[in-house]
Amino acid sequence: MTSRPLLATHRPQPYSSSGFAPRASSRGSAHPPSLPLNADEQPNVIDLTIEPTRAAVNSTGPSIPAIGRPDDHVLAQNNGLRREIAVESSDDAASGGAQLSPPGRPDIPVYAANAGDAEDFVSPRKVPTVRGSSPPPLPARPGSDAPKKIQQPPQEAVTQSSGLGKEASLKPYVLIPPPFAPRFPKERPVDFFPWSGNHSEDALSEQVTKQGFYDKSQVSQNETNTASTALRQTFKHKSGLQTLSSLFVSIYEQRQAHGRITATSTFKPPPRVTLTDTKREAWLRDLANSSVPLRRLSRTIPHGIRGKVLLEQCLGKNIPTVRAVWLAKCVGANEMRAFKRKGASAAFALGGEVKWVKDWTVFVEQFLEGVISNCGEKEWKSKMNYATRLSSHLFTEHLLDKDHYFDWVLTSLAGSSLDKTPIWLLVLQIFWEDLIQSRKNGSRLAQSLLEKIHMATTCGEKELFIPIVQRLSHLITRLLVSRPSNFVSPRRWIKYETILRSCIDHDDPAVAAIYARVSKRNLRLAEAKTRQGADAPKRSRSRLVKLLDSAKACFQVEELCSFCLKPGQDHRMLIQTLLEWVSSSYREGVFRVFLAVRILRELGDVGTDINGHILAFLGRPEQAEKICEANLYLLIAELVRCGHFSTSRYLQWLIARGALSNRQALSSDDPCEVRLLAELPLHGLPTHVLNLRRMLLREASFHTGHELRSIAQVKGAIAQELSDLFPAPDRGPVSEKVLSEISLSSLSRTVLSEVCHWIRQQVDNRASMSNPEEMNSLEQRTSEAGAIPVTVHEFNTLRYILEECQDLSALADVVLHAMSSINPIILASIADTLNANLGSFAAIGAINGLFHGLVERERAVSGQTSPEAFLLTAIVDLGSQIPGQDEIVRRLRQDLSRCEQRKVTAAAWSPISDHMPEVLPHTDIKEEVERTLASGTSIEKHTLARLFEALLLKLESVSKHSEEAINIANLLSRLRRFDLNGFDKLMIASLNRLLNDERRSCLSDIVAPLVGSGSVTLLTLFECSTKSWENDGDEGALNVKIRANMAFLELITDTTRARGSISNQNAYRWRLQQRRFIDDHALTLLASTLKVVDMIFQSKNAAIEHRLDCLLESPSFVSILRALIVHNNVEVQGCFRSTPAKSGRTAFLKFDHRVDQFLQENYDSNGLPDTSLVQEDVTKIDPGVRITRIMRKLDDFTLPFCKMNLQLVFEGSTPFGVSTESRQRSATNSLGRSIDSAVAEEDFIWVDAISVLNSSVASQIRERAEERILSLIPTSKIALAANIGDQESDRTAALQSLSVIAATAYSIPQHGAAQLGPSLVGKIEGLLQLVTPEGATENPPPVKCNLEEPSASRLQSGTIHFWVDVLLRIVIVHKGMFQPARAGALDQARLLIALCSILVNEFFQEESDLTDTALDVGSCLIDGKFNPIVSLLKFKAEE
């Protein structure tokens, strides 16, 4: 029997060879106590590969530990292996029932580790004893920290663990430390071992009894003293240091050998068994419990836990990540083992494993996506943390398909909304380093990040996404710095360049340098790269012209102004381009003037010198060519009125230039810079400026008295026409001419400005009258005018004057004053006025305000009286042309529908014919219709037909736009409301008769009043004229078709006869409908004209051909064709290509002649063709000569017309017997020479011009340029040395040819030009051979030139670099032919080898741009492919 002290100090005990931790000493010792162990040095890891026999050595003996002393306890949970030993021991104890204390051991209290026990403390009296047992232990020493009372566990825990009256199931025994056990500073109890009887601590001896148990260090007898004595002699020799080194090496080898695990793993995948749901849940709970060892759980795993269910169970049970990965490995091992058990071949088994990995990856993706989709739910954050941690561990353990998983992450990021983007960024950053290793994934990542910034900056709630934008910017900068090649993509660079520039920090020199290099690489790969730098200002000019020519330019003033105010813009070039666009004869519309004035005012407000730029434009020597001077004078007049052009500065500039010297008389044919002196507005100018202008005009023999007389004459004519509007003191002298006899458009801008200013003042005075008596008399005089003293006649007359004077700013003021009227006729006239001048009012910036004011006024009028259908129709037509007014137009359409419904609904039940009074034979037809319409609201068909024929016959006999014609048209419009379908059938039949009747009067005399009153539409008339296109018939039927279509074309282009009375609203409405039909159906009208030309050629009727020539030469048709070519160039080209020219060449020749005249004819001051000059017949001109003339005329404004001319030259039929091949050969050679001349002058507008050519012509031009480049490349060192003197000219020629190749790249077939591939690769290989010495295979040194001068060697090196770069640029254009799946596979392999040689050759390393180009070209060719060459390219990319 041995007595053991309760407390004892510890000495350090070395680890045994078995790998177990040292035991704690139970007896006192003279040595100091050992230091506390660090909790972090004991990882909670379970080693499943430990040998089972070794673990079983310490698993024998009783399992009840002795608690006689506090330091015999340890926290078993901190050591997984001891936990397994304790569990196995506890299992044995549980199977054997209650254990008795062995001899020599006292009866001691026991702490139960099972929470389900009734008590944690068991009294010694409850432990059975045996005879001959040891006496009780000694009492505790003084100072012991044994507790006075052992607390019992809470009763609730006992109740929960005991179940509902059932016996608790046996659980593995787990040691827990007693509460009074000594602890280390970090609250970790000291180690202890359960008493098993065979431990050295349990063997009592005399020494142990006297001195206590402690660990003795096993000190070798050979190391009792220092080793310096033994080694000192060795170090004295020369080999001493070598001996010491060998000694250390052997020590390291021994340590490595002893530290390596040499035993094979005995772990086997646990088998799967089918368990009930209860047992499966219990097994999963044990797996989630870290105290349950995996060795016990690895005996079997439940069947049915796989895929997404496994992941969801891990999430629901909160299974530790390491254990979840262990379970996934076990399940996966069983799945793969199942393939091998089926006896499949190795290849099939390998395919099964790959399939399992892909399926498992899909499950992980679905699991993670499901967790992300539940964002915002309860405990979502903890679930998200677990899901991301588990997925990252699975990826680290190589349990996922890397490519599939990355593709899913990038696809999810690209398709996610901005709200969920932060979550995907979190997932993304976990795999960041692995993701950006591949250029394919890195490029997709860069695109997704840039697209997210674009979404965040363009959405409506920018402020909410500022943190996301900042985080995205940080990631983009990080990716740009680490992998700049991911941003090299020419197609995406165009879209995301601005976004990337806004993300990076330009103050950081390193980041700015990387961005500049990436930008340069993208521009190098882009098409037409050789002209980006030198032609940047001209490209900015071309873009401004395209913006100005856009259909909605008047409604995009802010966009145009922002473009002009962009930093870095050349304001001088922009203003001159703007002035050229305004005064160009190749554009239509006075709205250009007001749009330019708006933009110039914006530029003037930011400090731009508008006066200087305008004067520079006027003084250009090339300004001698005829332009539309009237628009230029109007623009300057508007700028003078708003104070943005200084008249005095212009006069000083004119005097300084001496422009008036030696000039006999000032006329309209003088240059603009001089003629402007007689076109300046006078109102608002100081007296000294007026005197100076008068003196200069007198010096130029121009008398200002003519101006004053013209102003007085026009004012007098207006006062006579509007005597009620202008009082007697303001009328001036009586004019000898009436207003309709005065040609306002022929007067100078000075006269027109003064007249318009006078009219504006009179209207303003009438609007601001405050005299009640005068106001009452005016209201009595013009009861129909409402609050403003302007009648319908007065408003229409003022509108006519201001539109003829083109002073739409004054017209806007008149419209604003007249809008306060309650007369629906005036309001309808205002709507038509705004509709007819929509572009100008939009450019001024007044259209939205005037439209909303008109709508509000219509509501006020409708509130007092019933709404008028014609007023609603006019406002709806106006609103449909203004962007952003869809909601208002929809409401107005509903009001119009209700208005027409009220007028059609029957107020009387009987039809009109039942109550028709007897009509006398001599009664006027208008009175008869008035009485008929007043007697009912429905009508029978025969009565409708009789009245319709009578009214239409009466209309044919009166003059157009007369008062009688308008009244008859209004009666027909009222008659239509009774029976819409019947009336329309009668109208269509009458129109067909009128179109085919040769004896009728002018068609416009009949149709214009009908269209103005709303009885018929021009679209209905057009359908009547074209309804028999497909019907083939005899010569008579052909003549009927020609007659009907020619009648309609002449009707729609007849603007001279439609002018009518200056105050006739019906005539104004007719002109508006004409213009609207042309704008909406211009292409259809052109196609119809082409068919008419074809039919006229078939008929061979000289009279009709003469009518056709007159139609094509008319100003209206010229204006239509000009506008079509400018705004719908591509569609017009398609019309010509799709024309079924049965006659061969007629349509092409007719329009070829007309389009060619746009480039060769001169224009008058109003921009109209000068018909006094004889035009040249293009059918008698050689194609080469025409091509040269077209290319000489080419600029940004003539570009659409030059493109049409080029198409007609190359695709038109041959005029005078020349073969098509010879015609195209001559035209192609001439075009090639013209392109060479344009490239030499650095003018690249020809690139846009030749885009209209077909592929065959463009291919000929491209092949010509390619052959030229290949012929200039040196093929030997002798040729290289001999070509030094001419290399500058050769380089210039090569760059010019590159521009041609890039511009005609659209002609390259999809599979590439196969015949060029071998030649191209051969040239690259030949240049590489020049720098590779004979016999060298890798890393060749730079070529050693035979010349002695170092400068010659540098020239040769630069020449080789240049030609290699040129060839690589051609490869970029022809990359389609270097595809492995096609015939170019061999060429691709040769090219890739050549690219690798460039990358590894030291000769090219000094040219970083060249190596970057080679790398980018190779990346474009082999993205997504895997071969050794790809690996080499990627390796160089990483470097």
Side-chain angles (χ1 to χ4, degrees):
M1 183 175 66
T2 305
S3 62
R4 306 172 68 175
L6 292 177
L7 299 174
T9 58
H10 289 258
R11 292 184 59 189
Q13 182 178 0
Y15 289 98
S16 63
S17 60
S18 61
F20 297 134
R23 296 173 176 267
S25 176
S26 59
R27 297 187 181 273
S29 174
H31 296 281
S34 62
L35 294 175
L37 298 177
N38 189 0
D40 299 335
E41 296 178 358
Q42 298 182 6
N44 187 11
V45 179
I46 301 173
D47 188 4
L48 299 180
T49 62
I50 188 171
E51 299 179 5
T53 56
R54 185 176 300 176
V57 173
N58 296 287
S59 62
T60 59
S63 60
I64 303 178
I67 317 297
R69 54 192 183 278
D71 56 346
D72 284 341
H73 296 79
V74 68
L75 181 60
Q77 289 81 349
N78 293 334
N79 193 312
L81 185 58
R82 295 173 184 170
R83 211 164 37 237
E84 296 174 7
I85 298 173
V87 170
E88 293 177 0
S89 301
S90 63
D91 291 342
D92 296 338
S95 62
Q99 301 292 330
L100 301 178
S101 300
R105 304 292 293 187
D107 294 337
I108 56 177
V110 178
Y111 284 91
N114 195 346
D117 297 340
E119 296 178 349
D120 285 345
F121 179 81
V122 181
S123 174
R125 291 173 294 181
K126 296 182 181 181
V127 179
T129 59
V130 295
R131 187 176 300 175
S133 61
S134 302
L138 297 175
R141 294 184 179 182
S144 174
D145 56 351
K148 297 181 180 180
K149 181 180 180 180
I150 304 299
Q151 296 182 358
Q152 300 294 331
Q155 188 64 28
E156 296 179 0
V158 176
T159 305
Q160 293 178 1
S161 61
S162 60
L164 299 176
K166 296 182 180 180
E167 184 178 357
S169 59
L170 297 178
K171 294 186 177 180
Y173 181 79
V174 180
L175 294 176
I176 59 174
F180 52 84
R183 299 178 179 273
F184 287 117
K186 291 186 178 181
E187 299 299 327
R188 185 170 60 87
V190 298
D191 197 5
F192 75 97
F193 291 93
W195 182 79
S196 59
N198 57 357
H199 194 268
S200 58
E201 182 182 0
D202 299 330
L204 297 180
S205 62
E206 181 179 359
Q207 183 179 3
V208 171
T209 304
K210 293 180 179 181
Q211 300 180 3
F213 184 84
Y214 61 94
D215 295 333
K216 294 182 179 180
S217 60
Q218 301 294 333
V219 181
S220 175
Q221 297 296 329
N222 297 329
E223 297 184 4
T224 56
N225 203 351
T226 178
S228 61
T229 305
L231 297 177
R232 184 179 294 113
Q233 297 299 327
T234 305
F235 291 157
K236 290 181 179 180
H237 299 284
K238 294 182 179 180
S239 61
L241 189 59
Q242 183 69 24
T243 303
L244 182 62
S245 177
S246 301
L247 179 61
F248 277 113
V249 170
S250 62
I251 292 174
Y252 285 133
E253 290 178 351
Q254 291 294 327
R255 186 179 70 174
Q256 185 177 10
H258 289 296
R260 185 182 296 113
I261 298 176
T262 57
T264 58
S265 176
T266 59
F267 173 76
K268 294 181 179 180
R272 290 186 293 182
V273 296
T274 303
L275 300 177
T276 61
D277 295 342
T278 305
K279 293 183 178 181
R280 182 187 302 159
E281 291 295 322
W283 190 91
L284 290 174
R285 283 194 298 268
D286 292 341
L287 181 64
N289 187 3
S290 301
S291 61
V292 178
L294 287 179
R295 180 171 293 277
R296 175 177 173 271
L297 298 174
S298 63
R299 297 170 185 171
T300 57
I301 60 176
H303 196 283
I305 302 178
R306 59 185 299 273
K308 187 179 179 181
V309 177
L310 186 151
L311 299 170
E312 291 176 349
Q313 290 288 348
C314 293
L315 176 63
K317 301 295 189 301
N318 197 19
I319 298 175
T321 307
V322 178
R323 288 173 165 248
V325 173
W326 172 82
L327 178 59
K329 287 183 177 180
C330 293
V331 173
N334 279 279
E335 295 280 346
M336 296 178 184
R337 188 168 55 181
F339 290 106
K340 298 179 181 179
R341 288 178 178 175
K342 294 179 180 179
S345 61
F348 181 78
L350 180 61
E353 294 179 3
V354 173
K355 182 178 181 300
W356 181 88
V357 172
K358 289 186 177 180
D359 294 341
W360 171 250
T361 305
V362 173
F363 291 141
V364 174
E365 294 168 359
Q366 294 175 354
F367 164 71
L368 189 58
E369 194 171 12
V371 176
I372 293 176
S373 63
N374 296 329
C375 177
E377 295 183 358
K378 185 179 180 181
E379 299 181 355
W380 176 83
K381 183 177 180 180
S382 60
K383 293 181 179 180
M384 186 62 201
N385 290 334
Y386 182 87
T388 53
R389 185 169 63 251
L390 178 59
S391 61
S392 61
H393 277 72
L394 293 174
F395 179 83
T396 305
E397 296 291 337
H398 304 286
L399 295 178
L400 300 178
D401 187 348
K402 180 179 178 181
D403 294 335
H404 193 282
Y405 189 71
F406 282 167
D407 179 74
W408 170 76
V409 171
L410 293 174
T411 303
S412 301
L413 174 64
S416 64
S417 62
L418 290 175
D419 297 333
K420 293 188 177 181
T421 297
I423 304 175
W424 289 107
L425 292 180
L426 175 65
V427 176
L428 185 71
Q429 294 177 77
I430 298 175
F431 315 100
W432 181 269
E433 294 299 332
D434 295 306
L435 190 61
I436 64 177
Q437 294 297 328
S438 171
R439 185 175 178 272
K440 175 183 176 182
N441 295 330
S443 299
R444 292 183 58 190
L445 174 61
Q447 180 181 1
S448 300
L449 296 178
L450 292 172
E451 181 62 27
K452 292 302 176 184
I453 291 185
H454 175 70
M455 294 171 56
T457 53
T458 55
C459 66
E461 302 175 348
K462 299 179 182 179
E463 295 78 8
L464 297 179
F465 300 108
I466 291 178
I468 298 179
V469 173
Q470 294 175 350
R471 184 59 184 168
L472 289 170
S473 301
H474 172 72
L475 293 177
I476 289 174
T477 305
R478 177 183 173 188
L479 182 61
L480 178 66
V481 173
S482 59
R483 293 291 187 274
S485 297
N486 293 330
F487 294 88
V488 179
S489 177
R491 289 178 297 178
R492 294 195 294 263
W493 184 255
I494 299 175
K495 179 179 180 181
Y496 298 114
E497 178 187 6
T498 306
I499 301 175
L500 179 60
R501 190 188 306 115
S502 64
C503 293
I504 64 174
D505 182 12
H506 294 276
D507 296 333
D508 190 345
V511 177
I514 294 175
Y515 170 79
R517 189 172 181 180
V518 170
S519 177
K520 188 176 182 180
R521 292 168 67 180
N522 279 287
L523 294 178
R524 190 185 299 119
L525 292 176
E527 294 182 359
K529 52 193 171 300
T530 57
R531 60 187 178 92
Q532 290 288 338
D535 200 37
K538 295 183 180 180
R539 305 312 300 173
S540 180
R541 166 188 168 96
S542 299
R543 186 184 175 191
L544 177 60
V545 173
K546 291 179 180 179
L547 288 174
L548 293 171
D549 287 339
S550 61
K552 298 295 183 182
C554 297
F555 299 97
Q556 299 171 348
V557 181
E558 291 77 10
E559 180 181 352
L560 287 168
C561 293
S562 62
F563 175 79
C564 296
L565 296 175
K566 189 185 305 181
Q569 290 284 19
D570 185 2
H571 287 177
R572 178 178 178 275
M573 181 272 300
L574 293 176
I575 292 178
Q576 289 195 359
T577 303
L578 198 61
L579 295 175
E580 288 181 20
W581 180 72
V582 169
S583 59
S584 174
S585 301
Y586 299 99
R587 299 297 186 269
E588 290 286 333
V590 72
F591 73 92
R592 294 176 292 161
V593 176
F594 300 97
L595 181 59
V597 169
R598 181 90 174 272
I599 297 174
L600 290 175
R601 292 177 63 182
E602 293 289 341
L603 291 174
D605 292 339
V606 297
T608 305
D609 184 14
I610 296 179
N611 289 270
H613 294 316
I614 293 178
L615 295 177
F617 175 79
L618 294 175
R620 293 192 309 174
E622 61 269 20
Q623 200 60 45
E625 183 181 355
K626 280 290 184 179
I627 60 174
C628 184
E629 299 175 355
N631 286 352
L632 194 59
Y633 300 149
L634 177 59
L635 180 140
I636 296 177
E638 290 293 325
L639 291 176
V640 169
R641 179 162 56 187
C642 62
H644 283 78
F645 185 82
S646 175
T647 304
S648 59
R649 183 174 174 182
Y650 162 71
L651 298 178
Q652 295 171 8
W653 175 81
L654 198 62
I655 295 172
R657 286 174 59 90
L660 298 177
S661 302
N662 301 324
R663 189 170 298 279
Q664 298 298 330
L666 190 62
S667 64
S668 59
D669 296 332
D670 288 322
C672 291
E673 57 175 332
V674 179
R675 180 62 191 176
L676 179 61
L677 185 62
E679 304 285 343
L680 290 172
L682 304 179
H683 53 272
L685 295 180
T687 305
H688 67 280
V689 175
L690 293 175
N691 293 334
L692 179 59
R693 174 182 178 271
R694 190 180 303 110
M695 291 171 57
L696 294 176
L697 287 175
R698 188 182 302 113
E699 181 180 353
S701 302
F702 184 88
H703 300 287
T704 57
H706 295 298
E707 289 181 343
L708 299 178
R709 284 193 295 271
S710 298
I711 294 173
Q713 184 181 21
V714 175
K715 286 184 178 180
I718 295 174
Q720 290 179 12
E721 184 73 22
L722 305 175
S723 58
D724 294 335
L725 183 62
F726 298 98
D730 298 331
R731 292 179 185 179
V734 179
S735 176
E736 299 178 355
K737 297 182 180 180
V738 295
L739 184 60
S740 59
E741 297 176 355
I742 300 176
S743 178
L744 296 176
S745 59
S746 62
L747 300 176
S748 67
R749 177 53 51 187
T750 302
V751 176
L752 297 179
S753 298
E754 288 301 311
V755 171
C756 294
H757 180 68
W758 173 68
I759 292 175
R760 176 184 288 186
Q761 284 183 333
Q762 296 301 320
V763 174
D764 290 342
N765 293 337
R766 289 295 180 270
S768 58
M769 288 177 60
S770 58
N771 189 352
E773 298 180 357
E774 189 174 1
M775 179 64 72
N776 292 334
S777 62
L778 287 172
E779 288 180 354
Q780 294 174 0
R781 174 182 61 83
T782 58
S783 58
E784 62 175 352
I788 295 299
V790 177
T791 64
V792 175
H793 170 72
E794 291 170 347
F795 176 78
N796 292 338
T797 304
L798 291 176
R799 179 180 61 187
Y800 164 76
I801 297 171
L802 296 176
E803 285 182 347
E804 287 294 315
C805 296
Q806 296 183 338
D807 195 343
L808 298 183
S809 298
L811 180 59
D813 292 341
V814 173
V815 167
L816 183 62
H817 291 311
M819 197 177 293
S820 58
S821 174
I822 61 173
N823 189 346
I825 299 179
I826 291 182
L827 297 179
S829 300
I830 291 174
D832 291 341
T833 304
L834 297 179
N835 203 348
N837 303 280
L838 184 63
S840 300
F841 286 123
I844 294 173
I847 187 63
N848 289 325
L850 293 175
F851 175 72
H852 290 124
L854 184 62
V855 172
E856 292 297 330
R857 197 60 184 167
E858 185 274 330
R859 290 180 183 175
V861 173
S862 300
Q864 299 177 4
T865 60
S866 60
E868 295 290 343
F870 65 87
L871 174 59
L872 291 173
T873 302
I875 299 178
V876 167
D877 291 344
L878 171 63
S880 60
Q881 306 296 324
I882 303 176
Q885 308 296 336
D886 298 336
E887 185 63 27
I888 297 177
V889 172
R890 184 187 60 81
R891 183 186 61 80
L892 291 174
R893 290 186 190 277
Q894 294 176 356
D895 295 344
L896 178 61
S897 177
R898 287 192 293 266
C899 178
E900 292 179 347
Q901 229 172 11
R902 282 194 297 268
K903 291 185 177 181
V904 174
T905 50
W909 294 102
S910 58
I912 289 177
S913 55
D914 293 344
H915 300 277
M916 185 180 301
E918 293 294 334
V919 181
L920 297 176
H922 302 287
T923 304
D924 185 70
I925 185 62
K926 292 186 295 183
E927 298 178 0
E928 178 185 353
V929 173
E930 287 287 356
R931 288 195 301 268
T932 303
L933 295 177
S935 60
T937 56
S938 62
I939 192 171
E940 292 183 352
K941 291 184 178 181
H942 68 276
T943 305
L944 176 65
R946 186 180 63 83
L947 294 177
F948 177 83
E949 293 295 336
L951 288 174
L952 193 61
L953 184 62
K954 183 69 173 178
L955 181 63
E956 294 179 19
S957 62
V958 298
S959 61
K960 179 180 63 171
H961 297 311
S962 62
E963 198 69 28
E964 189 176 3
I966 296 173
N967 293 334
I968 295 174
N970 290 333
L971 289 176
L972 286 171
S973 177
R974 293 170 57 189
L975 192 63
R976 182 176 179 268
R977 299 169 186 168
F978 290 94
D979 188 358
L980 297 178
N981 295 330
F983 184 89
D984 291 340
K985 291 180 181 179
L986 294 173
M987 180 61 72
I988 291 174
S990 300
L991 291 176
N992 290 328
R993 177 181 58 82
L994 291 173
L995 289 172
N996 298 319
D997 188 4
E998 296 181 347
R999 296 171 297 177
R1000 56 161 170 75
S1001 59
C1002 182
L1003 184 62
S1004 62
D1005 293 343
I1006 305 173
V1007 175
L1010 294 176
V1011 173
S1013 63
S1015 301
V1016 69
T1017 62
L1018 284 174
L1019 183 60
T1020 303
L1021 183 60
F1022 177 71
E1023 292 173 352
C1024 292
S1025 65
T1026 59
K1027 68 177 182 178
S1028 59
W1029 279 124
E1030 293 77 12
N1031 298 329
D1032 295 331
D1034 54 4
E1035 184 177 354
L1038 182 62
N1039 291 331
V1040 170
K1041 295 180 190 177
I1042 295 174
R1043 191 182 304 113
N1045 286 276
M1046 280 297 299
F1048 178 79
L1049 292 176
E1050 290 173 344
L1051 172 70
I1052 202 66
T1053 58
D1054 181 14
T1055 57
T1056 57
R1057 298 188 180 183
R1059 191 173 300 275
S1061 175
I1062 61 176
S1063 63
N1064 194 321
Q1065 178 61 23
N1066 191 280
Y1068 193 86
R1069 183 75 179 172
W1070 160 248
R1071 292 200 305 272
L1072 178 61
Q1073 293 298 323
Q1074 269 185 314
R1075 192 180 309 169
R1076 187 62 60 207
F1077 180 84
I1078 292 173
D1079 294 341
D1080 296 341
H1081 306 89
L1083 289 173
T1084 307
L1085 196 62
L1086 177 62
S1088 175
T1089 307
L1090 291 173
K1091 293 180 181 180
V1092 170
V1093 171
D1094 186 66
M1095 288 189 300
I1096 290 176
F1097 183 81
Q1098 295 180 39
S1099 66
K1100 299 180 181 180
N1101 190 328
I1104 298 181
E1105 285 190 14
H1106 177 70
R1107 289 175 58 189
L1108 176 64
D1109 292 337
C1110 294
L1111 172 68
L1112 297 180
E1113 298 292 337
S1114 64
S1116 300
F1117 189 83
V1118 170
S1119 178
I1120 294 172
L1121 188 58
R1122 181 191 289 126
L1124 272 176
I1125 293 176
V1126 172
H1127 300 293
N1128 305 93
N1129 193 268
V1130 178
E1131 291 80 1
V1132 172
Q1133 296 170 21
C1135 284
F1136 280 103
R1137 289 193 180 101
S1138 61
T1139 300
K1142 299 178 182 179
S1143 59
R1145 59 191 179 93
T1146 308
F1148 276 103
L1149 292 182
K1150 289 289 185 183
F1151 282 90
D1152 191 2
H1153 179 72
R1154 179 63 262 171
V1155 175
D1156 185 76
Q1157 287 180 354
F1158 283 122
L1159 299 179
Q1160 61 171 307
E1161 66 189 0
N1162 294 321
Y1163 296 86
D1164 58 15
S1165 60
N1166 295 320
L1168 299 177
D1170 190 355
T1171 57
S1172 62
L1173 300 177
V1174 179
Q1175 305 296 336
E1176 189 177 7
D1177 189 0
V1178 297
T1179 60
K1180 299 179 181 180
I1181 305 175
D1182 181 72
V1185 177
R1186 285 194 62 191
I1187 290 293
T1188 304
R1189 187 174 62 190
I1190 291 171
M1191 297 302 292
R1192 193 183 301 117
K1193 280 277 190 179
L1194 183 63
D1195 60 20
D1196 290 299
F1197 300 103
T1198 61
L1199 176 62
F1201 304 95
C1202 292
K1203 291 170 69 174
M1204 283 298 306
N1205 271 275
L1206 288 175
Q1207 182 189 6
L1208 294 174
V1209 170
F1210 282 101
E1211 298 185 8
S1213 55
T1214 307
F1216 40 83
V1218 183
S1219 64
T1220 304
E1221 294 182 0
S1222 61
R1223 175 188 177 91
Q1224 286 201 355
R1225 191 183 308 112
S1226 174
T1228 303
N1229 294 334
S1230 179
L1231 181 60
R1233 291 190 297 269
S1234 300
I1235 290 176
D1236 294 339
S1237 301
V1239 173
E1241 297 175 1
E1242 295 186 355
D1243 186 4
F1244 292 93
I1245 190 64
W1246 58 268
V1247 175
D1248 297 324
I1250 66 173
S1251 62
V1252 74
L1253 301 179
N1254 54 39
S1255 299
S1256 62
V1257 178
S1259 180
Q1260 295 178 22
I1261 298 175
R1262 175 181 52 78
E1263 291 172 359
R1264 179 173 174 268
E1266 292 168 351
E1267 292 174 359
R1268 185 180 181 184
I1269 289 179
L1270 295 179
S1271 64
L1272 295 174
I1273 298 176
T1275 57
S1276 63
K1277 294 183 179 180
I1278 299 176
L1280 180 64
N1283 199 29
I1284 293 180
D1286 299 333
Q1287 64 177 356
E1288 191 64 32
S1289 60
D1290 291 348
R1291 291 187 180 188
T1292 303
L1295 292 176
Q1296 294 175 1
S1297 301
L1298 274 178
S1299 301
V1300 178
I1301 294 173
T1304 56
Y1306 67 90
S1307 64
I1308 301 175
Q1310 184 178 3
H1311 302 291
Q1315 69 277 6
L1316 182 64
S1319 302
L1320 198 59
V1321 179
K1323 288 293 183 179
I1324 297 177
E1325 293 175 343
L1327 290 174
L1328 292 177
Q1329 290 178 1
L1330 295 180
V1331 299
T1332 305
E1334 296 182 359
T1337 56
E1338 60 180 1
N1339 296 331
V1343 60
K1344 300 297 184 180
C1345 298
N1346 297 329
L1347 301 178
E1348 297 180 358
E1349 294 82 6
S1351 59
S1353 176
R1354 289 194 297 270
L1355 287 175
Q1356 289 188 4
S1357 300
T1359 302
I1360 295 175
H1361 291 159
F1362 172 78
W1363 288 115
V1364 171
D1365 182 68
V1366 168
L1367 292 174
L1368 290 180
R1369 294 186 181 188
I1370 299 178
V1371 170
I1372 295 172
V1373 178
H1374 288 275
K1375 63 182 179 180
M1377 66 181 174
F1378 297 103
Q1379 298 298 329
R1382 301 178 183 136
L1386 179 60
D1387 295 334
Q1388 186 203 34
R1390 293 172 57 195
L1391 178 60
L1392 292 177
I1393 294 173
L1395 293 175
C1396 293
S1397 301
I1398 294 174
L1399 291 175
V1400 300
N1401 198 323
E1402 295 180 357
F1403 177 79
F1404 299 101
Q1405 298 306 312
E1406 59 185 12
E1407 290 290 336
S1408 59
D1409 293 341
L1410 184 59
T1411 54
D1412 287 344
T1413 304
L1415 177 63
D1416 295 337
V1417 172
S1419 300
C1420 293
L1421 295 178
I1422 50 84
D1423 270 347
K1425 306 175 182 64
F1426 299 92
N1427 51 50
I1429 299 178
V1430 177
S1431 302
L1432 178 59
L1433 287 171
K1434 291 184 177 180
F1435 173 74
K1436 295 300 294 182
E1438 294 175 0
E1439 289 184 348

